[in-house]
Amino acid sequence: MTHKNYRASSLLLAFLILTISLTVIAQEDEKSSVQSLKYNPEDFPSFEDNEFCLRCHSSGYFVLSDTVSGLSKRQAMCDNYNISKDNYYMSVHGSFSCTDCHSSEYQNFPHATALRFEPAFACLDCHGGDENFAQYHFEEIDAEYANSVHAQIENGEFNCWKCHNPHSYVPLARRDTLSTDFVVSSNQMCLTCHGNFEKFQLLSDKELTGIVEKHDWLPNEALHFKSVRCIECHSAQNLDILVSHNILPSDSAISDCVKCHSKNSVLMGSLYKFRVIESRKSSGFVNAAIIDNNSYVIGANRSEIMNLASLLIFGLTLFAMTIHTLFRIKKSKKQ
Amino acid sequence: MTEQIYFYPVWIRLWHAVNAVLCILLILTGLSMQYSDPDFVLINFGLAVSMHNFSGIALTISYFLFFFGNMFTANGKFYRLKVEGLSIRLWKQLRYYAYGYFVNEESPFPVSPQNKFNPLQQISYLLALYLALPLLFVTGWALLFPEFIINKLLGFSGIFLTAQLHIVMGFFISLFLIIHLYVSTMGASPLSNFKSIVTGWQKLH
């Protein structure tokens, strides 16, 4: 092979390798973008209809056009109106078409201002009095909410959706595995307003105090934030429903450590309630549901077997010492 | 007149006193947390947590003083275990406590400047100071910084296993303390060993 032919062959080979590599990369990209979907669009009959809305409401921007000048430009979509398609189709409401709950007039753009005043459905509008949803106790939840501080908000702006996003809601508390993610997502509901002054001031004229500073009395504060939900301390327990909705005023919140850190831990009626109801596991430990959840709560996890063994060892030691002492007294009397 | 030897140098007596106070605090606060009950509060839970953490940190520092003290002073030789014939020596000492002591037999391992601990004392101190306490420190510090504890080990929660090991070791140290206090009453007189650890002078009997 001449030097020229060799160079040409090398270039050809390099080109082929590059082409093949790019093709493989492109295919991998395509594959990974398909795999990244957490849902199968074919499972959702309303998917195509919803795309009309979600092309703006899930993209982070919309295109504003002026019919007179013919100009158009991209505008950022406000976060409140952005919906994650993954979250929506994985949520309990994922099978719905947008217009099942929202006016079909939203299909006109720009949307009419009057539509903003359209009353939104509340949970009970669909779920109230329905036997299919009896296990969720919506009526009791509504009664609890009516007693909570949230219901006292003067301008009446508070509703279910302030905490439960209808476009992403999943009943995490009813899942068998209570992970840290569950606690984080539950606390995120509270922090949406209580950790964000902009959101908070939409509902209240009160001063927003720093969450971290206000809880600095908790030993190992970060671990508490990671392991328990705000509502464990900030709501009144109701044994009839899974998650208490009677949010208490801050000065009525639990601040006595022993309420959780004891054999009769209130966590068993709140954070671990579902697990307790479902499994009632007995692995020799009091409140074993906490252990099953890869957690450990000082004072609440006690092993009856270990308690018995330790009492037995202590008892035998004290018994041996008593006998020994008696013999010592006898010996000293002889002398 | 009973012979006395200067047995406990100042640094050991100071370390022992600090150790005793901290261990008692740790046991009381530990028990109070483990068996916390809204109807029977031994020590307020928050206070118990703070006291337990503080005492644990202080005991770790104190332990290192002891550890290096033993490494660089003659006191360390009392903690060097001779394995050869250990079981026979342990049996002799046990027999003495259970029988010989009551029939006025001579102590098989009398206290001397060369022989500070009898075999039973030596092995129990070794287990307490070089096994149980280090395990308590490792698990205790891990519980202070739980983010460093591995999530799962052999299917169990790492934090749960760490806490259980901490509790079990705490139990053994509590047991050691009770036995240690009782055996201390078996000196020349019931209080002589307690006086010794304060004055440094040990009566030989």
Side-chain angles (χ1 to χ4, degrees):
Chain A
M1 190 186 280
T2 63
H3 185 68
K4 253 186 184 175
N5 281 346
Y6 177 75
R7 212 164 63 175
S9 306
S10 301
L11 277 171
L12 186 65
L13 188 66
F15 177 75
L16 277 171
I17 291 171
L18 187 69
T19 311
I20 292 166
S21 306
L22 287 174
T23 312
V24 169
I25 291 168
Q27 280 174 348
E28 285 296 320
D29 277 353
E30 199 179 326
K31 213 192 291 176
S32 65
S33 70
V34 170
Q35 279 172 348
S36 73
L37 282 181
K38 292 178 182 171
Y39 57 91
N40 180 6
E42 287 169 12
D43 293 341
F44 299 94
S46 308
F47 185 83
E48 284 306 321
D49 290 344
N50 290 349
E51 279 300 287
F52 178 80
C53 304
L54 292 176
R55 69 184 173 189
C56 291
H57 284 283
S58 72
S59 63
Y61 68 87
F62 60 97
V63 179
L64 192 65
S65 305
D66 182 2
T67 46
V68 179
S69 63
L71 295 171
S72 63
K73 65 175 181 178
R74 283 187 178 194
Q75 293 266 286
M77 177 69 76
C78 172
D79 277 349
N80 285 351
Y81 299 112
N82 252 326
I83 292 162
S84 154
K85 278 202 255 184
D86 272 348
N87 289 348
Y88 178 67
Y89 287 112
M90 297 295 286
S91 79
V92 288
H93 298 135
S95 60
F96 288 113
S97 160
C98 303
T99 49
D100 285 342
C101 302
H102 301 286
S103 166
S104 56
E105 285 180 47
Y106 273 111
Q107 284 167 332
N108 300 321
F109 184 80
H111 304 316
T113 308
L115 290 173
R116 305 254 178 137
F117 296 93
E118 180 191 47
F121 286 119
C123 298
L124 278 178
D125 292 331
C126 298
H127 301 296
D130 188 334
E131 277 304 308
N132 295 325
F133 294 96
Q135 59 165 318
Y136 298 99
H137 302 275
F138 278 103
E139 287 79 9
E140 282 103 306
I141 289 173
D142 191 52
E144 280 241 303
Y145 164 72
N147 291 325
S148 79
V149 283
H150 284 156
Q152 320 302 324
I153 289 173
E154 284 170 14
N155 58 12
E157 284 285 319
F158 208 91
N159 56 36
C160 309
W161 313 129
K162 297 294 176 196
C163 301
H164 304 291
N165 188 335
H167 301 114
S168 60
Y169 184 73
V170 280
L172 283 175
R174 287 176 184 273
R175 294 207 172 154
D176 188 42
T177 311
L178 296 178
S179 62
T180 307
D181 294 344
F182 161 66
V183 173
V184 169
S185 66
S186 172
N187 289 348
Q188 196 53 50
M189 281 185 206
C190 308
L191 291 172
T192 304
C193 296
H194 289 276
N196 180 340
F197 180 68
E198 285 171 19
K199 290 266 172 73
F200 187 81
Q201 68 173 356
L202 291 175
L203 296 165
S204 175
D205 295 327
K206 287 183 186 167
E207 193 185 340
L208 182 63
T209 45
I211 299 275
V212 175
E213 292 78 18
K214 225 176 169 185
H215 293 83
D216 59 5
W217 61 275
L218 280 168
N220 223 332
E221 188 182 4
L223 187 62
H224 276 93
F225 284 171
K226 191 181 131 192
S227 310
V228 287
R229 301 170 300 177
C230 307
I231 58 166
E232 256 65 81
C233 300
H234 288 278
S235 70
Q237 246 187 23
N238 181 339
L239 296 177
D240 296 330
I241 55 174
L242 194 57
V243 179
S244 168
H245 282 69
N246 183 1
I247 311 298
L248 300 168
S250 59
D251 54 3
S252 304
I254 291 177
S255 57
D256 183 2
C257 312
V258 184
K259 294 270 185 201
C260 294
H261 292 281
S262 60
K263 197 172 170 180
N264 299 318
S265 175
V266 295
L267 294 177
M268 301 312 290
S270 54
L271 182 61
Y272 298 104
K273 188 188 269 181
F274 183 69
R275 195 163 250 278
V276 170
I277 295 167
E278 289 295 298
S279 62
R280 295 189 196 281
K281 279 186 185 168
S282 169
S283 54
F285 276 84
V286 175
N287 301 333
I290 306 175
I291 301 167
D292 290 343
N293 189 38
N294 299 329
S295 293
Y296 178 77
V297 180
I298 303 168
N301 285 137
R302 301 176 193 177
S303 161
E304 299 292 8
I305 297 163
M306 279 165 75
N307 279 351
L308 202 68
S310 60
L311 277 176
L312 196 71
I313 295 170
F314 261 120
L316 285 173
T317 307
L318 290 176
F319 178 72
M321 286 194 300
T322 310
I323 298 289
H324 203 262
T325 307
L326 289 174
F327 275 106
R328 282 171 68 189
I329 293 168
K330 198 178 162 191
K331 180 195 166 192
S332 67
K333 275 183 181 168
K334 266 188 193 172
Q335 286 167 346
Chain B
M1 193 179 156
T2 320
E3 196 189 337
Q4 289 196 90
I5 51 170
Y6 188 65
F7 226 37
Y8 305 109
V10 175
W11 78 268
I12 289 194
R13 280 181 280 150
L14 275 176
W15 169 77
H16 187 270
V18 170
N19 216 24
V21 171
L22 293 175
C23 279
I24 290 168
L25 276 177
L26 282 162
I27 291 169
L28 289 178
T29 50
L31 278 173
S32 179
M33 287 189 285
Q34 171 72 1
Y35 296 103
S36 55
D37 189 327
D39 301 325
F40 177 71
V41 181
L42 181 64
I43 304 168
N44 171 280
F45 192 89
L47 182 66
V49 172
S50 305
M51 281 169 71
H52 199 82
N53 291 347
F54 172 81
S55 308
I57 293 165
L59 190 69
T60 315
I61 298 166
S62 158
Y63 179 80
F64 276 107
L65 291 178
F66 161 81
F67 188 82
F68 289 112
N70 264 3
M71 205 178 252
F72 298 114
T73 69
N75 195 58
K77 70 171 184 281
F78 300 118
Y79 292 87
R80 275 175 214 127
L81 185 71
K82 218 197 273 176
V83 181
E84 200 185 324
L86 180 67
S87 56
I88 297 167
R89 279 180 282 133
L90 283 173
W91 170 248
K92 273 186 182 173
Q93 186 59 42
L94 202 65
R95 186 193 164 279
Y96 173 72
Y97 277 147
Y99 175 73
Y101 177 81
F102 299 107
V103 293
N104 294 323
E105 278 182 11
E106 282 293 311
S107 168
F109 304 97
V111 177
S112 72
Q114 291 75 37
N115 199 22
K116 193 173 165 185
F117 304 137
N118 68 48
L120 267 179
Q121 281 175 315
Q122 195 190 31
I123 202 145
S124 55
Y125 290 169
L126 272 175
L127 288 173
L129 295 167
Y130 287 99
L131 182 70
L133 269 184
L135 279 173
L136 272 168
F137 293 139
V138 171
T139 50
W141 279 91
L143 291 167
L144 272 179
F145 299 97
E147 60 272 26
F148 294 112
I149 298 177
I150 52 169
N151 280 338
K152 282 240 173 195
L153 184 71
L154 304 170
F156 288 97
S157 145
I159 200 165
F160 168 73
L161 289 178
T162 309
Q164 289 309 309
L165 187 59
H166 192 75
I167 290 165
V168 170
M169 289 301 124
F171 167 76
F172 282 123
I173 288 291
S174 314
L175 199 66
F176 167 80
L177 179 71
I178 288 174
I179 298 170
H180 178 60
L181 284 171
Y182 179 73
V183 173
S184 299
T185 65
M186 292 175 71
S189 73
L191 291 176
S192 65
N193 281 340
F194 295 98
K195 284 178 190 159
S196 301
I197 199 66
V198 176
T199 61
W201 289 92
Q202 170 90 30
K203 275 184 187 174
L204 299 180
H205 62 102

